[in-house]
Amino acid sequence: MLRSHTCGELRISDVGQEVVLCGWVQRIRDKGQLIWVDLRDRYGLTQLIVEENVSSADTISKINSLGREFVLQIKGQVKEREAKNDKIATGEIEVLVNEVQILNPAKLPPFLIEDETDGGDELRMKYRYLDLRRNVVRQNLQLRHRVARETRQFLDAQDFIEVETPVLIKSTPEGARDFVVPSRMNPGEFYALPQSPQTFKQLLMVSGFDRYYQIVKCFRDEDLRADRQPEFTQIDCEMSFVEQEDVLHTFEGLIRHLFKAVKNIELDTVPRMTYADAMRLYGSDKPDTRFGMQFVELNSLLQNKGFGVFDAAELVVGINAKGCANYSRKEIDQLTDWVKRPQIGAKGLVYIKYNEDGSTKSSVDKFYSDEDKLAVLKECQAEPGDMVLVLSGNTNAVRKQLNELRLEMGNRLGLRNPDEYKVLWVVDFPLLEFDEESNRWHAMHHPFTSPKPEDIALLSSKPGEVRANAYDMVINGTEVGGGSVRIFQKPLQQKMFDLLGFSPEEAEKQFGFLMSAFEFGAPPHAGIAFGFDRLCSLFGGVDSIRDFIAFPKNNNGRDVMIDSPSSISEEQLKELSIALRAEKGQ
């Protein structure tokens, strides 16, 4: 080893020892007769000291030639620091340098390698290998490592076995777009990169591996945002001879274990909410339950009073913004403009204030009496000082709009505490959703999700009312995992393919291998997958998953560090039997 200790290891008990350290120069402070150098590695930072009358001329010369990020090996003696630094673990000691070896000089970095840096996102992604030297970024990856280690520890203890599934698989028409890979040995044919190991883990259940897991890389060619990457990691799990309750119990245990091991937080009992209630009360299938402000449906109180906007609406619904009766007209106008933005899409916003003196004031006073307004305030459990905000329109649209307004009010009122965690199971999703554009049913989860046993009879007559045996885990308004009880009998799976518009030939071509496997004794099985990157970002208190991925892509799906994706040569295209691109304009 080139070093005897790391830069985060030495303590006051090591005073007097001769040590060898290696690392990067963080900063240099030259006070004439004394020079201090902060030496950094992954483990921490140690202060070095060079004294003009003690250190050799060669050592002083080398120290004077240093710049930021030079790679050094030093030999020296541990001393007690006169001016101690209680902000770092090595703050009671320093190392008096006897010898210096410059292992590698360094160019001046394009941004400061500090916790608070002057580099923007794109610059830091271009030089990601430098960004990874920063404490805050390194700590994110250490947290990721810890979450992975604790996940494996828990699942191993529950008799799960980790099995790797293929990365080059077959493209399927359902779900997001596939990334495809041309096959040189099979001209004109393509592999796909897996969006999930779904069919393979079901085949493992048929194979008798009754408890499988994998921390697995998955790929989706979809539009990107802060919590999406073209390649991402999930904790993928499947179990045999289980029902929904067994899955919820097992993986509630996993989340409890991770919160305790990683955050030292003991979770409360994880409540459950049906999809129907989540949409009715929060307008979202992933509600943030750290705060209340539940929806209150107001059709019976606000319709048929002469206000045409409400009278024509399918749904009139409101939330109680506590303590907001003192909002000025300007603040209310700003809120109205906010909900009318294209991203939200509301046509307007109605408010009803419950003033501290018990009087009421609203934007629709000429249509509603004080008794009408007080009835609404009572229905919304408003107290003096509160303000009810009301939207109306098509049920699905207005629920989504009010959900966005609720979250915005939660932010403005400081109700979404990042240090508070509320975990929730959402269950009983619809099995199918109808797409007007394609004029057919689509699986809300995926085609292998089982309907609730009591709803199977509705598949032929009322498919839109069939509930799925599916479940999502939601933490602080973010979906972190989802799964379902699977179909394991061939006739039911065939019926599902029929409903989704697959011809028998298409079903056979796409999923014949799975249907065939079901004929050889498939057990009842169920599973779940957690977004590993999202879990890590939640534990780290950050919105973006990019901060927890070593080498992420930017918002355009590019790796600006290695300049990927990139073009390939005409020779490679020929080998892959891919036609050359036409000239521009042809």
Side-chain angles (χ1 to χ4, degrees), residues 143-334:
L143 184 147
R144 182 186 178 96
H145 162 72
R146 191 174 179 190
V147 174
R149 184 187 66 200
E150 293 295 340
T151 296
R152 287 190 167 96
Q153 180 179 317
F154 176 86
L155 293 174
D156 288 348
Q158 299 293 319
D159 292 327
F160 283 78
I161 180 171
E162 186 166 13
V163 181
E164 290 181 289
T165 53
V167 173
L168 295 175
I169 65 166
K170 169 178 201 167
S171 182
T172 59
E174 293 289 317
R177 294 185 188 91
D178 289 324
F179 282 102
V180 294
V181 181
S183 170
R184 180 182 61 82
M185 298 179 67
N186 301 276
E189 296 186 320
F190 296 82
Y191 299 104
L193 301 181
Q195 297 184 33
S196 120
Q198 181 61 43
T199 54
F200 288 100
K201 65 180 180 179
Q202 290 191 247
L203 291 172
L204 284 169
M205 298 303 102
V206 178
S207 303
F209 290 84
D210 66 332
R211 291 192 168 206
Y212 141 94
Y213 82 96
Q214 188 179 186
I215 299 180
V216 60
K217 188 63 68 77
C218 300
F219 307 85
R220 290 180 188 168
D221 187 6
E222 59 185 355
D223 295 336
L224 304 178
R225 59 189 188 212
D227 60 347
R228 280 185 184 166
Q229 286 276 294
E231 52 181 309
F232 58 96
T233 304
Q234 63 186 38
I235 306 168
D236 197 64
C237 307
E238 199 79 7
M239 305 168 73
S240 290
F241 304 113
V242 293
E243 296 177 326
Q244 175 176 296
E245 188 60 36
D246 303 304
V247 179
L248 300 191
H249 175 77
T250 300
F251 292 99
E252 188 174 312
L254 170 63
I255 293 300
R256 285 180 178 281
H257 173 78
L258 291 177
F259 267 99
K260 180 61 178 175
V262 177
K263 300 288 290 182
N264 196 29
I265 291 174
E266 295 278 3
L267 282 184
D268 295 333
T269 301
V270 179
R272 298 177 190 181
M273 184 181 298
T274 66
Y275 170 87
D277 282 346
M279 297 305 295
R280 179 175 59 84
L281 296 173
Y282 299 96
S284 170
D285 59 3
K286 45 182 184 294
D288 186 343
T289 55
R290 283 174 293 181
F291 65 106
M293 222 179 285
Q294 291 182 349
F295 293 6
V296 180
E297 297 185 358
L298 301 168
N299 292 47
S300 62
L301 296 177
L302 290 177
Q303 286 186 324
N304 303 315
K305 301 283 186 175
F307 183 46
V309 174
F310 284 174
D311 291 346
E314 189 176 4
L315 177 65
V316 183
V317 61
I319 53 173
N320 179 17
K322 295 201 71 62
C324 293
N326 60 356
Y327 265 39
S328 66
R329 182 56 188 262
K330 181 181 178 181
E331 288 174 305
I332 292 172
D333 287 345
Q334 287 173 344

Side-chain angles (χ1 to χ4, degrees), residues 10-12 45 47 81-94:
L10 297 171
R11 300 291 187 270
I12 193 72
L45 184 145
Q47 178 173 283
R81 279 173 69 160
E82 290 185 13
K84 295 181 172 56
N85 181 355
D86 59 5
K87 294 180 181 178
I88 59 174
T90 59
E92 292 186 294
I93 59 91
E94 60 191 3

